[in-house]
Amino acid sequence: GSGSKTAIDALRAALSHVDPRLRLRAATSLGELGEEARAALAELTRLLEDPDPGVREAAHAAITALH
């Protein structure tokens, strides 16, 4: 519904936050949402190059969950 779209938009914005803990949490949450979060694939793919290894791992797991 529109509520999940709003949540996904907020999580997508958090993927570029300066704090790596927030980027990691947003990536994990998007992965947990599954198919609904497929709009975030481009942002998640960019996080595979993140300087923080935990963020890279979370992004990889989320991308795997969305496929």
Side-chain angles (χ1 to χ4, degrees):
S2 65
S4 61
K5 181 183 180 332
T6 303
I8 291 167
D9 288 345
L11 290 168
R12 288 173 73 184
L15 292 175
S16 59
H17 196 278
V18 66
D19 186 338
R21 292 169 298 186
L22 285 178
R23 294 195 305 273
L24 188 153
R25 189 67 219 137
T28 301
S29 296
L30 286 163
E32 290 168 354
L33 286 169
E35 290 283 319
E36 287 185 89
R38 291 196 88 176
L41 275 173
E43 291 99 328
L44 288 166
T45 300
R46 279 196 294 277
L47 287 185
L48 294 174
E49 305 292 324
D50 196 273
D52 185 279
V55 173
R56 291 194 304 268
E57 186 177 310
H60 183 268
I63 290 165
T64 301
L66 297 185
H67 282 297

